[in-house]
Amino acid sequence: MVKKQQSGGGELGALRAAAEGCRNCPLWENATQTVFGEGSSRARIMLVGEQPGDQEDKEGHPFVGPAGRILDEALEEIGLDRRHLYVTNAVKHFKWEPRGKRRLHKTPAQREIEACFQWLEGEIEAVKPKLIVALGATAAKALLGPRFRITPSRGQVQRREGLPDVLATYHPSFLLRVKIRPEGEEVHRQFVDDLRTAARYLVQDKSDK
C-alpha cells in the first residue's frame, strides 16, 4: 500500500507522481506513459474503467478516445457534469498487441490488475467517494473479486467491507461493439439507467447536508 500523504488533491498529486515510476508489472515497458485518474478530488462519484486505450496512452488522460465519447454523451444525457466526478482505470498502463500498424487492446491479466491495485486503492482513499461505478468486468473484478460477474449483477449496488458502495455496469467500449446489433439500443438504455442510479447518490448527498 502506498504511504499516505496529505488528504485530497495533495495526496492525489503524490500518488500520481509515484505511479509514473511504477514498475510492478511489465506493462510499462510497451506503454507510452502512465495514465492516472483525473477529476474532482472531492468527487462523490468515482468512475473506474479497465485500462487506458490507444488514444489515452498517447494523450495521457483517461477516457478521451471513442469509449470516452460514449461515456461523455451518456453523462450529458442524464445531466452529470464530468468535471464533478473522478475518472480513472483499474490498470494505469495500456496493454496491447500489434495488428499491422495498429495497437489493439488486450485484456489485463489478473496479476497485472493486482499489481496496479495499490494506485486505485490510493485514489479511493484520497477522494473518498460515496459510490464507485465499475465500468466493465475488469474494474468490477478488481474491486469485488475475480469471481464477480457483471451480467447477473449489473446495476445493483454492491457493498463490500472497506469500500464505498460499488455499482457495476458495462464498459462504454462494449456499447461501441454492440451499437449495430439488435440488442445495441437496449444495452445503451441499461447503461444510461445505471448512470442515472449513480446520479441519485449526488441528490441524496445534497439532501443529507
Side-chain angles (χ1 to χ4, degrees), residues 152-170:
S153 303
R154 180 203 58 78
Q156 302 173 22
V157 174
Q158 310 290 321
R159 292 182 170 88
R160 296 289 191 275
E161 185 176 354
L163 286 175
D165 289 352
V166 179
L167 186 149
T169 188
Y170 305 118

Side-chain angles (χ1 to χ4, degrees), residues 47 63 67-75 82 87 135 172 191 195:
L47 305 180
F63 284 95
R69 288 191 289 274
I70 293 290
L71 176 62
D72 287 342
E73 289 169 2
L75 292 174
R82 178 164 164 170
V87 182
L135 300 169
F191 179 70
L195 293 181

Side-chain angles (χ1 to χ4, degrees), residues 131-195:
L131 175 73
I132 299 174
V133 179
L135 300 169
T138 296
K141 291 177 180 180
L143 292 160
L144 301 170
R147 295 185 179 181
F148 184 84
R149 297 293 179 268
I150 287 214
T151 301
S153 303
R154 180 203 58 78
Q156 302 173 22
V157 174
Q158 310 290 321
R159 292 182 170 88
R160 296 289 191 275
E161 185 176 354
L163 286 175
D165 289 352
V166 179
L167 186 149
T169 188
Y170 305 118
H171 193 283
S173 62
F174 178 65
L175 275 69
L176 282 172
R177 294 196 297 273
V178 302
K179 190 174 182 178
I180 61 174
R181 299 180 191 171
E183 68 270 26
E185 187 175 336
E186 175 62 16
V187 169
H188 182 272
R189 184 195 64 78
Q190 291 173 349
F191 179 70
V192 172
D193 283 348
D194 292 342
L195 293 181

Side-chain angles (χ1 to χ4, degrees), residues 1-8 11-13 15-16 36 46 86 88 92 116-129:
M1 179 57 204
V2 177
K3 183 178 180 181
K4 294 186 68 175
Q5 309 291 330
Q6 64 268 35
S7 62
E11 185 177 355
L12 286 170
L15 283 166
R16 175 189 293 274
F36 205 70
M46 176 181 286
Y86 187 86
T88 190
K92 311 302 188 195
C116 215
F117 186 71
Q118 61 170 324
W119 308 118
L120 177 58
E121 187 178 31
E123 289 172 300
I124 294 169
E125 290 186 2
V127 177
K128 296 179 173 59

Side-chain angles (χ1 to χ4, degrees), residues 16 33-37 52 56-57 60-62 88-89 91-93:
R16 175 189 293 274
Q33 58 193 311
T34 302
V35 181
F36 205 70
E56 290 80 5
D57 177 64
H61 303 287
T88 190
N89 285 295
V91 174
K92 311 302 188 195
H93 288 116

